[in-house]
Amino acid sequence: DSGVTQTPKHLITATGQRVTLRCSPRSGDLSVYWYQQSLDQGLQFLIQYYNGEERAKGNILERFSAQQFPDLHSELNLSSLELGDSALYFCASSRGQVGYGYTFGSGTRLTVV
Amino acid sequence: GQQVMQIPQYQHVQEGEDFTTYCNSSTTLSNIQWYKQRPGGHPVFLIQLVKSGEVKKQKRLTFQFGEAKKNSSLHITATQTTDVGTYFCAGLGDTGNQFYFGTGTSLTVIP
């Protein structure tokens, strides 16, 4: 157990639907990061939050959005889902804003059918 | 945007052979981190390098940060089956505030 909790572990949904992925960071970590990993692909950075505020955006689609709540948990919302959105979505957390090692959760595997 | 490339993409070695993966950035990096992802698992932080020319060792693993801070390498001596997985480097640019992950090197160790 890395200390980063992601739910659900698996999600199967139809095209056009909307889903919410949830992440609870490791205790004491203020930064939360979301990454997308497609089959045999690397980790694509989506978005970062630090202590409730958005800090950096990567290749996140307009159909996707995220937020970090006062208790520091984060949610990634994926809407108008397409087949190509099927992937493993990882949340990671770190102590500070920059330069700390990331602790990854076990991921949410999203399958869009 | 910042790009971090790794070579090779795949590597198959006999158990006991050495293994090296290389990470190259198009821009100067302030930090570089290495992660290992076991098949079906999540990335696990291994180490962070900050200084130009820095070399760090963890048992059979040797990590190096280039003098120009644009490349890095991970060398595993005498691979074991427990070394199987994908190794990612992640670079932090001079003006960035989050790490960009490399494309990864998938290591297979043949017993």
Side-chain angles (χ1 to χ4, degrees), chain A residues 35 37 55 98-100 102 105, chain B residues 33 35 37 42 48 97 99:
Chain A
Y35 284 85
Q37 186 175 46
R55 287 299 184 185
V98 181
Y100 292 81
Y102 293 4
Chain B
Q33 296 178 349
Y35 292 78
Q37 184 176 20
H42 58 273
Q48 177 167 270
N97 56 5
F99 285 84

Side-chain angles (χ1 to χ4, degrees), chain A residues 21-52:
Chain A
L21 312 182
R22 182 188 169 98
C23 169
S24 293
R26 193 179 58 163
S27 178
D29 286 359
L30 298 178
S31 280
V32 169
Y33 311 81
W34 286 96
Y35 284 85
Q36 180 193 58
Q37 186 175 46
S38 302
L39 194 63
D40 290 335
Q41 295 295 311
L43 291 152
Q44 296 296 318
F45 170 68
L46 297 178
I47 198 163
Q48 176 204 1
Y49 284 86
Y50 176 77
N51 204 20

Side-chain angles (χ1 to χ4, degrees), chain B residues 3-7 21-26 70 72 89 101-104:
Chain B
Q3 289 194 348
V4 180
M5 302 299 293
Q6 276 183 260
I7 54 170
T21 173
Y22 300 91
C23 180
N24 296 291
S25 170
S26 56
K70 294 180 75 171
S72 180
C89 64
F101 279 75
T103 45

Side-chain angles (χ1 to χ4, degrees), chain A residues 55-112:
Chain A
R55 287 299 184 185
K57 257 186 175 179
N59 299 321
I60 187 167
L61 301 172
E62 284 192 12
R63 300 182 286 109
F64 296 179
S65 65
Q67 54 183 327
Q68 187 179 28
F69 295 87
D71 66 352
L72 300 179
H73 91 272
S74 178
E75 292 182 356
L76 179 66
N77 301 296
L78 315 176
S79 61
S80 303
L81 285 167
E82 302 174 359
L83 296 177
D85 298 326
S86 295
L88 196 51
Y89 290 84
F90 284 110
C91 167
S93 70
S94 68
R95 285 275 180 248
Q97 193 172 347
V98 181
Y100 292 81
Y102 293 4
T103 302
F104 280 80
S106 56
T108 293
R109 182 167 295 283
L110 173 67
T111 303
V112 183

Side-chain angles (χ1 to χ4, degrees), chain B residues 14-56:
Chain B
Q14 290 284 342
E15 188 173 15
E17 291 182 341
D18 291 356
F19 159 77
T20 304
T21 173
Y22 300 91
C23 180
N24 296 291
S25 170
S26 56
T27 59
T28 302
L29 303 170
S30 58
N31 293 6
I32 194 156
Q33 296 178 349
W34 285 91
Y35 292 78
K36 176 183 178 181
Q37 184 176 20
R38 294 181 185 273
H42 58 273
V44 174
F45 174 75
L46 295 176
I47 208 161
Q48 177 167 270
L49 304 171
V50 178
K51 299 175 184 176
S52 169
E54 188 172 12
V55 177
K56 286 188 177 181

